[in-house]
Amino acid sequence: MTDSKRFVIHFSLAITAYVIAVAVSSLTQVMLSEGIARTLCALLPIAPMIVVAITVIRQIRQLDELARTIHLEALALAFVGTAMITFSYGFLETAGFPRLSMFFVWPLLAALWGFGAWLGWRRYR
């Protein structure tokens, strides 16, 4: 089995576990009163997200130099882009815009990383 196929399988399993953990956490929290049990239940999705992170880091370590460079540049774009967008929106919140949940940050970062990787792969074709 190739490294990329193994990555897709491990990543898919980890994301599936994350989705299940989010569902279980959301459904269970409503039945619990405030306290340590509810707090721990809210943090349940973090465990599979750690597995997702380890899977991604392991995959990046196995890439060749060009692919690593592309992903490093993509992550730099994602970091700077996320910082600029979230800070800009923070200032807009002071002008009366609705507050956004922190749940918006990671999808924004992931989308910018994907866009940056796409740009990098196009540049080096």
Side-chain angles (χ1 to χ4, degrees):
M1 180 182 320
T2 65
D3 285 337
S4 60
K5 193 176 281 190
R6 184 177 295 118
F7 167 72
V8 169
I9 291 169
H10 289 172
F11 185 80
S12 298
L13 289 171
I15 287 293
T16 300
Y18 168 74
V19 169
I20 291 168
V22 167
V24 168
S25 174
S26 298
L27 295 172
T28 306
Q29 280 186 68
V30 296
M31 297 183 291
L32 298 172
S33 59
E34 288 187 24
I36 191 72
R38 188 172 182 177
T39 302
L40 291 174
C41 184
L43 294 173
L44 182 66
I46 298 303
M49 282 309 293
I50 291 170
V51 177
V52 169
I54 290 168
T55 303
V56 170
I57 291 167
R58 189 179 321 142
Q59 177 63 15
I60 288 176
R61 285 182 178 162
Q62 294 175 358
L63 297 174
D64 62 25
E65 290 85 10
L66 176 60
R68 280 188 188 185
T69 298
I70 289 170
H71 281 286
L72 176 62
E73 291 175 4
L75 283 168
L77 180 134
F79 172 80
V80 171
T82 300
M84 289 175 50
I85 291 168
T86 56
F87 269 73
S88 298
Y89 196 84
F91 289 117
L92 291 173
E93 286 180 352
T94 65
F97 278 60
R99 288 205 168 273
L100 290 179
S101 168
M102 291 294 291
F103 281 114
F104 285 94
V105 175
W106 188 88
L108 174 63
L109 181 69
L112 290 174
W113 181 11
F115 178 68
W118 176 78
L119 284 177
W121 287 114
R122 282 191 48 137
R123 185 173 71 195
Y124 290 108
R125 274 203 289 169

Tab-separated table of all heavy atoms in Angstrom, residues 60-119:
chain	number	residue	atom	x	y	z
A	60	ILE	N	3.252	14.718	6.301
A	60	ILE	CA	4.153	15.790	5.861
A	60	ILE	C	5.607	15.371	6.026
A	60	ILE	O	6.454	15.673	5.187
A	60	ILE	CB	3.838	17.108	6.597
A	60	ILE	CG1	2.517	17.666	6.051
A	60	ILE	CG2	4.966	18.116	6.446
A	60	ILE	CD1	2.015	18.894	6.727
A	61	ARG	N	5.900	14.630	7.083
A	61	ARG	CA	7.274	14.154	7.285
A	61	ARG	C	7.721	13.188	6.195
A	61	ARG	O	8.913	13.031	5.954
A	61	ARG	CB	7.395	13.479	8.646
A	61	ARG	CG	7.429	14.437	9.789
A	61	ARG	CD	7.593	13.718	11.099
A	61	ARG	NE	7.674	14.679	12.198
A	61	ARG	CZ	7.487	14.371	13.450
A	61	ARG	NH1	7.219	13.121	13.797
A	61	ARG	NH2	7.569	15.300	14.375
A	62	GLN	N	6.772	12.528	5.547
A	62	GLN	CA	7.116	11.546	4.512
A	62	GLN	C	7.199	12.160	3.117
A	62	GLN	O	7.549	11.476	2.170
A	62	GLN	CB	6.089	10.411	4.511
A	62	GLN	CG	6.107	9.589	5.770
A	62	GLN	CD	5.013	8.536	5.806
A	62	GLN	OE1	4.202	8.426	4.902
A	62	GLN	NE2	4.985	7.757	6.875
A	63	LEU	N	6.873	13.439	2.986
A	63	LEU	CA	6.894	14.078	1.677
A	63	LEU	C	8.317	14.383	1.226
A	63	LEU	O	9.225	14.521	2.046
A	63	LEU	CB	6.084	15.387	1.727
A	63	LEU	CG	4.597	15.256	2.022
A	63	LEU	CD1	3.976	16.645	2.174
A	63	LEU	CD2	3.891	14.466	0.931
A	64	ASP	N	8.490	14.534	-0.081
A	64	ASP	CA	9.795	14.941	-0.589
A	64	ASP	C	9.982	16.447	-0.367
A	64	ASP	O	9.081	17.135	0.106
A	64	ASP	CB	9.961	14.567	-2.057
A	64	ASP	CG	8.959	15.244	-2.976
A	64	ASP	OD1	8.440	16.326	-2.613
A	64	ASP	OD2	8.681	14.705	-4.063
A	65	GLU	N	11.173	16.949	-0.737
A	65	GLU	CA	11.503	18.344	-0.449
A	65	GLU	C	10.561	19.323	-1.135
A	65	GLU	O	10.162	20.337	-0.539
A	65	GLU	CB	12.946	18.643	-0.855
A	65	GLU	CG	13.988	17.974	0.016
A	65	GLU	CD	14.285	16.536	-0.437
A	65	GLU	OE1	13.815	16.147	-1.529
A	65	GLU	OE2	14.954	15.808	0.303
A	66	LEU	N	10.197	19.062	-2.387
A	66	LEU	CA	9.313	19.983	-3.110
A	66	LEU	C	7.936	20.036	-2.455
A	66	LEU	O	7.391	21.121	-2.230
A	66	LEU	CB	9.182	19.575	-4.580
A	66	LEU	CG	8.213	20.425	-5.402
A	66	LEU	CD1	8.636	21.889	-5.416
A	66	LEU	CD2	8.099	19.870	-6.820
A	67	ALA	N	7.391	18.883	-2.134
A	67	ALA	CA	6.071	18.842	-1.510
A	67	ALA	C	6.108	19.522	-0.137
A	67	ALA	O	5.170	20.239	0.234
A	67	ALA	CB	5.581	17.401	-1.384
A	68	ARG	N	7.181	19.317	0.611
A	68	ARG	CA	7.308	19.988	1.910
A	68	ARG	C	7.370	21.501	1.739
A	68	ARG	O	6.751	22.248	2.490
A	68	ARG	CB	8.560	19.526	2.646
A	68	ARG	CG	8.406	18.211	3.330
A	68	ARG	CD	9.629	17.957	4.173
A	68	ARG	NE	9.589	16.608	4.693
A	68	ARG	CZ	10.471	16.130	5.543
A	68	ARG	NH1	11.447	16.896	5.966
A	68	ARG	NH2	10.384	14.898	5.978
A	69	THR	N	8.118	21.956	0.747
A	69	THR	CA	8.212	23.389	0.474
A	69	THR	C	6.849	23.956	0.119
A	69	THR	O	6.456	25.022	0.614
A	69	THR	CB	9.212	23.657	-0.673
A	69	THR	OG1	10.506	23.197	-0.267
A	69	THR	CG2	9.281	25.131	-1.026
A	70	ILE	N	6.124	23.256	-0.724
A	70	ILE	CA	4.784	23.707	-1.119
A	70	ILE	C	3.883	23.813	0.097
A	70	ILE	O	3.179	24.812	0.283
A	70	ILE	CB	4.194	22.768	-2.189
A	70	ILE	CG1	4.932	22.973	-3.513
A	70	ILE	CG2	2.690	22.983	-2.352
A	70	ILE	CD1	4.605	21.933	-4.574
A	71	HIS	N	3.901	22.810	0.959
A	71	HIS	CA	3.040	22.830	2.139
A	71	HIS	C	3.501	23.872	3.163
A	71	HIS	O	2.662	24.485	3.835
A	71	HIS	CB	2.916	21.443	2.763
A	71	HIS	CG	1.944	20.587	2.029
A	71	HIS	ND1	0.592	20.773	2.117
A	71	HIS	CD2	2.127	19.572	1.158
A	71	HIS	CE1	-0.022	19.901	1.342
A	71	HIS	NE2	0.896	19.163	0.749
A	72	LEU	N	4.800	24.087	3.292
A	72	LEU	CA	5.285	25.126	4.195
A	72	LEU	C	4.807	26.495	3.717
A	72	LEU	O	4.321	27.309	4.508
A	72	LEU	CB	6.808	25.099	4.285
A	72	LEU	CG	7.424	26.219	5.126
A	72	LEU	CD1	6.962	26.122	6.577
A	72	LEU	CD2	8.943	26.165	5.037
A	73	GLU	N	4.938	26.749	2.411
A	73	GLU	CA	4.468	28.024	1.873
A	73	GLU	C	2.949	28.147	1.997
A	73	GLU	O	2.428	29.227	2.288
A	73	GLU	CB	4.910	28.175	0.414
A	73	GLU	CG	6.412	28.362	0.274
A	73	GLU	CD	6.877	28.401	-1.167
A	73	GLU	OE1	6.028	28.363	-2.090
A	73	GLU	OE2	8.098	28.475	-1.372
A	74	ALA	N	2.237	27.042	1.791
A	74	ALA	CA	0.778	27.056	1.927
A	74	ALA	C	0.378	27.339	3.375
A	74	ALA	O	-0.559	28.102	3.628
A	74	ALA	CB	0.196	25.723	1.463
A	75	LEU	N	1.084	26.736	4.324
A	75	LEU	CA	0.794	26.999	5.738
A	75	LEU	C	1.123	28.436	6.119
A	75	LEU	O	0.417	29.051	6.922
A	75	LEU	CB	1.563	26.022	6.634
A	75	LEU	CG	0.966	24.628	6.708
A	75	LEU	CD1	1.942	23.666	7.372
A	75	LEU	CD2	-0.350	24.641	7.454
A	76	ALA	N	2.190	28.986	5.544
A	76	ALA	CA	2.520	30.396	5.806
A	76	ALA	C	1.397	31.289	5.290
A	76	ALA	O	0.964	32.217	5.979
A	76	ALA	CB	3.850	30.759	5.144
A	77	LEU	N	0.904	31.019	4.085
A	77	LEU	CA	-0.214	31.788	3.539
A	77	LEU	C	-1.444	31.625	4.419
A	77	LEU	O	-2.129	32.611	4.720
A	77	LEU	CB	-0.524	31.335	2.109
A	77	LEU	CG	-1.666	32.069	1.442
A	77	LEU	CD1	-1.288	32.479	0.036
A	77	LEU	CD2	-2.921	31.215	1.413
A	78	ALA	N	-1.712	30.407	4.865
A	78	ALA	CA	-2.885	30.147	5.711
A	78	ALA	C	-2.764	30.871	7.051
A	78	ALA	O	-3.736	31.450	7.539
A	78	ALA	CB	-3.048	28.641	5.933
A	79	PHE	N	-1.566	30.870	7.629
A	79	PHE	CA	-1.352	31.544	8.913
A	79	PHE	C	-1.574	33.045	8.777
A	79	PHE	O	-2.331	33.654	9.535
A	79	PHE	CB	0.062	31.256	9.429
A	79	PHE	CG	0.428	32.056	10.642
A	79	PHE	CD1	-0.008	31.671	11.900
A	79	PHE	CD2	1.200	33.203	10.532
A	79	PHE	CE1	0.313	32.407	13.025
A	79	PHE	CE2	1.524	33.946	11.653
A	79	PHE	CZ	1.087	33.547	12.903
A	80	VAL	N	-0.922	33.649	7.795
A	80	VAL	CA	-1.038	35.097	7.613
A	80	VAL	C	-2.460	35.478	7.206
A	80	VAL	O	-3.035	36.439	7.724
A	80	VAL	CB	-0.006	35.585	6.574
A	80	VAL	CG1	-0.249	37.037	6.195
A	80	VAL	CG2	1.405	35.401	7.117
A	81	GLY	N	-3.047	34.707	6.291
A	81	GLY	CA	-4.412	34.997	5.847
A	81	GLY	C	-5.418	34.883	6.977
A	81	GLY	O	-6.294	35.738	7.134
A	82	THR	N	-5.291	33.840	7.788
A	82	THR	CA	-6.199	33.658	8.924
A	82	THR	C	-6.027	34.794	9.929
A	82	THR	O	-7.010	35.330	10.442
A	82	THR	CB	-5.957	32.299	9.599
A	82	THR	OG1	-6.193	31.264	8.638
A	82	THR	CG2	-6.886	32.086	10.787
A	83	ALA	N	-4.782	35.160	10.207
A	83	ALA	CA	-4.532	36.263	11.142
A	83	ALA	C	-5.166	37.554	10.623
A	83	ALA	O	-5.848	38.260	11.367
A	83	ALA	CB	-3.029	36.445	11.353
A	84	MET	N	-4.959	37.870	9.352
A	84	MET	CA	-5.504	39.106	8.794
A	84	MET	C	-7.033	39.112	8.811
A	84	MET	O	-7.658	40.103	9.184
A	84	MET	CB	-4.977	39.307	7.371
A	84	MET	CG	-3.503	39.660	7.321
A	84	MET	SD	-2.825	39.761	5.652
A	84	MET	CE	-3.974	40.812	4.823
A	85	ILE	N	-7.632	37.998	8.419
A	85	ILE	CA	-9.098	37.933	8.349
A	85	ILE	C	-9.719	37.973	9.732
A	85	ILE	O	-10.679	38.707	9.974
A	85	ILE	CB	-9.535	36.679	7.563
A	85	ILE	CG1	-9.156	36.840	6.085
A	85	ILE	CG2	-11.036	36.436	7.709
A	85	ILE	CD1	-9.269	35.568	5.268
A	86	THR	N	-9.168	37.199	10.675
A	86	THR	CA	-9.769	37.170	12.015
A	86	THR	C	-9.563	38.498	12.747
A	86	THR	O	-10.467	38.971	13.434
A	86	THR	CB	-9.232	35.997	12.867
A	86	THR	OG1	-7.801	36.083	12.943
A	86	THR	CG2	-9.635	34.667	12.278
A	87	PHE	N	-8.392	39.122	12.599
A	87	PHE	CA	-8.177	40.420	13.223
A	87	PHE	C	-9.087	41.468	12.594
A	87	PHE	O	-9.683	42.288	13.299
A	87	PHE	CB	-6.712	40.858	13.106
A	87	PHE	CG	-5.882	40.432	14.275
A	87	PHE	CD1	-5.521	39.109	14.445
A	87	PHE	CD2	-5.462	41.362	15.208
A	87	PHE	CE1	-4.761	38.708	15.520
A	87	PHE	CE2	-4.685	40.977	16.301
A	87	PHE	CZ	-4.343	39.648	16.458
A	88	SER	N	-9.208	41.446	11.281
A	88	SER	CA	-10.097	42.402	10.608
A	88	SER	C	-11.522	42.235	11.092
A	88	SER	O	-12.209	43.223	11.387
A	88	SER	CB	-10.039	42.209	9.088
A	88	SER	OG	-8.745	42.461	8.605
A	89	TYR	N	-11.966	40.997	11.192
A	89	TYR	CA	-13.337	40.779	11.645
A	89	TYR	C	-13.492	41.171	13.110
A	89	TYR	O	-14.542	41.669	13.514
A	89	TYR	CB	-13.805	39.339	11.417
A	89	TYR	CG	-15.313	39.266	11.534
A	89	TYR	CD1	-16.108	39.575	10.446
A	89	TYR	CD2	-15.927	38.960	12.737
A	89	TYR	CE1	-17.500	39.566	10.547
A	89	TYR	CE2	-17.304	38.952	12.854
A	89	TYR	CZ	-18.088	39.250	11.757
A	89	TYR	OH	-19.448	39.252	11.872
A	90	GLY	N	-12.468	40.972	13.911
A	90	GLY	CA	-12.519	41.411	15.305
A	90	GLY	C	-12.777	42.904	15.404
A	90	GLY	O	-13.564	43.360	16.239
A	91	PHE	N	-12.130	43.675	14.540
A	91	PHE	CA	-12.381	45.118	14.526
A	91	PHE	C	-13.790	45.418	14.039
A	91	PHE	O	-14.436	46.350	14.526
A	91	PHE	CB	-11.340	45.840	13.678
A	91	PHE	CG	-9.980	45.872	14.303
A	91	PHE	CD1	-8.914	45.252	13.686
A	91	PHE	CD2	-9.768	46.514	15.518
A	91	PHE	CE1	-7.660	45.269	14.270
A	91	PHE	CE2	-8.517	46.540	16.107
A	91	PHE	CZ	-7.453	45.914	15.475
A	92	LEU	N	-14.289	44.630	13.085
A	92	LEU	CA	-15.655	44.834	12.612
A	92	LEU	C	-16.670	44.531	13.713
A	92	LEU	O	-17.728	45.161	13.784
A	92	LEU	CB	-15.936	43.968	11.378
A	92	LEU	CG	-15.183	44.382	10.107
A	92	LEU	CD1	-15.412	43.348	8.999
A	92	LEU	CD2	-15.591	45.770	9.657
A	93	GLU	N	-16.356	43.569	14.585
A	93	GLU	CA	-17.246	43.284	15.712
A	93	GLU	C	-17.393	44.499	16.615
A	93	GLU	O	-18.458	44.739	17.160
A	93	GLU	CB	-16.734	42.079	16.516
A	93	GLU	CG	-16.955	40.750	15.836
A	93	GLU	CD	-16.431	39.576	16.646
A	93	GLU	OE1	-15.753	39.793	17.675
A	93	GLU	OE2	-16.699	38.436	16.250
A	94	THR	N	-16.302	45.277	16.755
A	94	THR	CA	-16.403	46.485	17.585
A	94	THR	C	-17.278	47.540	16.913
A	94	THR	O	-17.741	48.466	17.568
A	94	THR	CB	-15.010	47.096	17.884
A	94	THR	OG1	-14.418	47.552	16.665
A	94	THR	CG2	-14.117	46.093	18.585
A	95	ALA	N	-17.515	47.385	15.603
A	95	ALA	CA	-18.379	48.316	14.863
A	95	ALA	C	-19.811	47.808	14.785
A	95	ALA	O	-20.623	48.363	14.060
A	95	ALA	CB	-17.819	48.535	13.464
A	96	GLY	N	-20.100	46.697	15.493
A	96	GLY	CA	-21.474	46.216	15.541
A	96	GLY	C	-21.750	44.945	14.761
A	96	GLY	O	-22.881	44.447	14.777
A	97	PHE	N	-20.765	44.392	14.068
A	97	PHE	CA	-20.978	43.130	13.354
A	97	PHE	C	-21.207	42.020	14.375
A	97	PHE	O	-20.717	42.096	15.503
A	97	PHE	CB	-19.762	42.797	12.487
A	97	PHE	CG	-19.731	43.502	11.167
A	97	PHE	CD1	-19.701	44.895	11.086
A	97	PHE	CD2	-19.718	42.788	9.985
A	97	PHE	CE1	-19.660	45.548	9.882
A	97	PHE	CE2	-19.672	43.422	8.763
A	97	PHE	CZ	-19.653	44.817	8.712
A	98	PRO	N	-21.934	40.963	13.995
A	98	PRO	CA	-22.208	39.889	14.959
A	98	PRO	C	-20.926	39.142	15.358
A	98	PRO	O	-20.006	39.013	14.551
A	98	PRO	CB	-23.167	38.968	14.210
A	98	PRO	CG	-23.001	39.298	12.775
A	98	PRO	CD	-22.543	40.719	12.697
A	99	ARG	N	-20.915	38.672	16.592
A	99	ARG	CA	-19.776	37.868	17.058
A	99	ARG	C	-19.783	36.521	16.352
A	99	ARG	O	-20.830	35.922	16.162
A	99	ARG	CB	-19.867	37.654	18.562
A	99	ARG	CG	-19.560	38.885	19.356
A	99	ARG	CD	-19.076	38.497	20.750
A	99	ARG	NE	-18.517	39.626	21.446
A	99	ARG	CZ	-17.243	40.008	21.347
A	99	ARG	NH1	-16.428	39.344	20.588
A	99	ARG	NH2	-16.802	41.040	22.019
A	100	LEU	N	-18.597	36.066	15.979
A	100	LEU	CA	-18.454	34.751	15.361
A	100	LEU	C	-17.799	33.797	16.350
A	100	LEU	O	-16.938	34.190	17.134
A	100	LEU	CB	-17.607	34.828	14.090
A	100	LEU	CG	-18.231	35.529	12.893
A	100	LEU	CD1	-17.256	35.529	11.725
A	100	LEU	CD2	-19.526	34.856	12.491
A	101	SER	N	-18.187	32.551	16.258
A	101	SER	CA	-17.621	31.518	17.112
A	101	SER	C	-16.194	31.211	16.678
A	101	SER	O	-15.818	31.362	15.513
A	101	SER	CB	-18.474	30.254	16.987
A	101	SER	OG	-17.828	29.158	17.569
A	102	MET	N	-15.402	30.719	17.606
A	102	MET	CA	-14.048	30.266	17.289
A	102	MET	C	-14.067	29.076	16.329
A	102	MET	O	-13.047	28.758	15.721
A	102	MET	CB	-13.307	29.887	18.577
A	102	MET	CG	-12.969	31.056	19.473
A	102	MET	SD	-11.788	32.188	18.742
A	102	MET	CE	-10.333	31.182	18.754
A	103	PHE	N	-15.222	28.446	16.186
A	103	PHE	CA	-15.333	27.325	15.253
A	103	PHE	C	-15.082	27.750	13.811
A	103	PHE	O	-14.859	26.915	12.946
A	103	PHE	CB	-16.707	26.660	15.350
A	103	PHE	CG	-16.851	25.737	16.519
A	103	PHE	CD1	-17.732	26.036	17.540
A	103	PHE	CD2	-16.109	24.570	16.607
A	103	PHE	CE1	-17.875	25.190	18.629
A	103	PHE	CE2	-16.235	23.718	17.683
A	103	PHE	CZ	-17.123	24.028	18.699
A	104	PHE	N	-15.104	29.031	13.524
A	104	PHE	CA	-14.865	29.502	12.165
A	104	PHE	C	-13.381	29.564	11.820
A	104	PHE	O	-13.024	29.616	10.645
A	104	PHE	CB	-15.489	30.892	11.957
A	104	PHE	CG	-16.974	30.866	11.817
A	104	PHE	CD1	-17.789	31.066	12.916
A	104	PHE	CD2	-17.562	30.628	10.585
A	104	PHE	CE1	-19.161	31.027	12.797
A	104	PHE	CE2	-18.928	30.590	10.452
A	104	PHE	CZ	-19.736	30.792	11.557
A	105	VAL	N	-12.515	29.589	12.821
A	105	VAL	CA	-11.089	29.794	12.581
A	105	VAL	C	-10.453	28.596	11.880
A	105	VAL	O	-9.759	28.744	10.872
A	105	VAL	CB	-10.345	30.136	13.894
A	105	VAL	CG1	-8.846	30.236	13.666
A	105	VAL	CG2	-10.890	31.422	14.478
A	106	TRP	N	-10.670	27.390	12.400
A	106	TRP	CA	-10.014	26.228	11.801
A	106	TRP	C	-10.458	25.976	10.359
A	106	TRP	O	-9.597	25.731	9.496
A	106	TRP	CB	-10.225	24.970	12.659
A	106	TRP	CG	-9.390	23.844	12.139
A	106	TRP	CD1	-8.104	23.561	12.472
A	106	TRP	CD2	-9.763	22.886	11.144
A	106	TRP	NE1	-7.667	22.475	11.749
A	106	TRP	CE2	-8.655	22.044	10.927
A	106	TRP	CE3	-10.915	22.664	10.410
A	106	TRP	CZ2	-8.681	20.996	10.019
A	106	TRP	CZ3	-10.939	21.612	9.494
A	106	TRP	CH2	-9.832	20.794	9.315
A	107	PRO	N	-11.759	26.019	10.044
A	107	PRO	CA	-12.124	25.833	8.635
A	107	PRO	C	-11.514	26.903	7.726
A	107	PRO	O	-11.127	26.603	6.589
A	107	PRO	CB	-13.652	25.916	8.639
A	107	PRO	CG	-14.048	25.534	10.017
A	107	PRO	CD	-12.947	26.053	10.905
A	108	LEU	N	-11.405	28.130	8.220
A	108	LEU	CA	-10.766	29.185	7.437
A	108	LEU	C	-9.308	28.852	7.196
A	108	LEU	O	-8.809	28.925	6.068
A	108	LEU	CB	-10.894	30.530	8.172
A	108	LEU	CG	-10.158	31.709	7.562
A	108	LEU	CD1	-10.701	32.028	6.172
A	108	LEU	CD2	-10.267	32.922	8.478
A	109	LEU	N	-8.605	28.446	8.253
A	109	LEU	CA	-7.199	28.062	8.136
A	109	LEU	C	-7.027	26.895	7.167
A	109	LEU	O	-6.146	26.913	6.296
A	109	LEU	CB	-6.644	27.695	9.516
A	109	LEU	CG	-5.183	27.287	9.585
A	109	LEU	CD1	-4.282	28.479	9.314
A	109	LEU	CD2	-4.867	26.696	10.940
A	110	ALA	N	-7.885	25.890	7.288
A	110	ALA	CA	-7.797	24.718	6.406
A	110	ALA	C	-8.067	25.102	4.953
A	110	ALA	O	-7.373	24.631	4.040
A	110	ALA	CB	-8.783	23.643	6.865
A	111	ALA	N	-9.053	25.954	4.732
A	111	ALA	CA	-9.371	26.377	3.361
A	111	ALA	C	-8.212	27.160	2.750
A	111	ALA	O	-7.841	26.942	1.588
A	111	ALA	CB	-10.649	27.214	3.362
A	112	LEU	N	-7.608	28.046	3.540
A	112	LEU	CA	-6.469	28.804	3.027
A	112	LEU	C	-5.256	27.911	2.799
A	112	LEU	O	-4.482	28.123	1.859
A	112	LEU	CB	-6.130	29.960	3.974
A	112	LEU	CG	-7.147	31.101	4.006
A	112	LEU	CD1	-6.777	32.114	5.086
A	112	LEU	CD2	-7.270	31.775	2.651
A	113	TRP	N	-5.059	26.905	3.646
A	113	TRP	CA	-3.958	25.951	3.441
A	113	TRP	C	-4.196	25.193	2.133
A	113	TRP	O	-3.279	25.046	1.316
A	113	TRP	CB	-3.869	25.004	4.624
A	113	TRP	CG	-2.765	23.974	4.556
A	113	TRP	CD1	-1.717	23.912	3.682
A	113	TRP	CD2	-2.594	22.859	5.419
A	113	TRP	NE1	-0.910	22.840	3.948
A	113	TRP	CE2	-1.430	22.170	5.010
A	113	TRP	CE3	-3.311	22.375	6.497
A	113	TRP	CZ2	-0.986	21.023	5.647
A	113	TRP	CZ3	-2.848	21.228	7.129
A	113	TRP	CH2	-1.699	20.560	6.708
A	114	GLY	N	-5.407	24.714	1.927
A	114	GLY	CA	-5.722	24.016	0.685
A	114	GLY	C	-5.519	24.900	-0.529
A	114	GLY	O	-4.948	24.470	-1.546
A	115	PHE	N	-5.970	26.152	-0.445
A	115	PHE	CA	-5.789	27.091	-1.547
A	115	PHE	C	-4.312	27.349	-1.799
A	115	PHE	O	-3.851	27.355	-2.948
A	115	PHE	CB	-6.526	28.406	-1.239
A	115	PHE	CG	-6.361	29.458	-2.291
A	115	PHE	CD1	-6.917	29.294	-3.551
A	115	PHE	CD2	-5.635	30.606	-2.021
A	115	PHE	CE1	-6.756	30.266	-4.533
A	115	PHE	CE2	-5.470	31.587	-2.985
A	115	PHE	CZ	-6.031	31.412	-4.250
A	116	GLY	N	-3.539	27.530	-0.716
A	116	GLY	CA	-2.102	27.752	-0.863
A	116	GLY	C	-1.392	26.558	-1.471
A	116	GLY	O	-0.498	26.715	-2.308
A	117	ALA	N	-1.790	25.344	-1.077
A	117	ALA	CA	-1.194	24.132	-1.656
A	117	ALA	C	-1.542	24.031	-3.136
A	117	ALA	O	-0.687	23.690	-3.963
A	117	ALA	CB	-1.664	22.897	-0.900
A	118	TRP	N	-2.782	24.342	-3.474
A	118	TRP	CA	-3.196	24.321	-4.883
A	118	TRP	C	-2.355	25.309	-5.699
A	118	TRP	O	-1.873	24.968	-6.782
A	118	TRP	CB	-4.691	24.645	-4.980
A	118	TRP	CG	-5.200	24.734	-6.377
A	118	TRP	CD1	-5.503	23.687	-7.208
A	118	TRP	CD2	-5.471	25.922	-7.120
A	118	TRP	NE1	-5.940	24.167	-8.415
A	118	TRP	CE2	-5.926	25.538	-8.380
A	118	TRP	CE3	-5.359	27.274	-6.823
A	118	TRP	CZ2	-6.271	26.465	-9.371
A	118	TRP	CZ3	-5.709	28.199	-7.785
A	118	TRP	CH2	-6.159	27.790	-9.040
A	119	LEU	N	-2.164	26.530	-5.168
A	119	LEU	CA	-1.333	27.514	-5.867
A	119	LEU	C	0.099	27.005	-6.023
A	119	LEU	O	0.705	27.161	-7.089
A	119	LEU	CB	-1.310	28.840	-5.091
A	119	LEU	CG	-2.527	29.726	-5.168
A	119	LEU	CD1	-2.329	30.949	-4.260
A	119	LEU	CD2	-2.794	30.173	-6.598
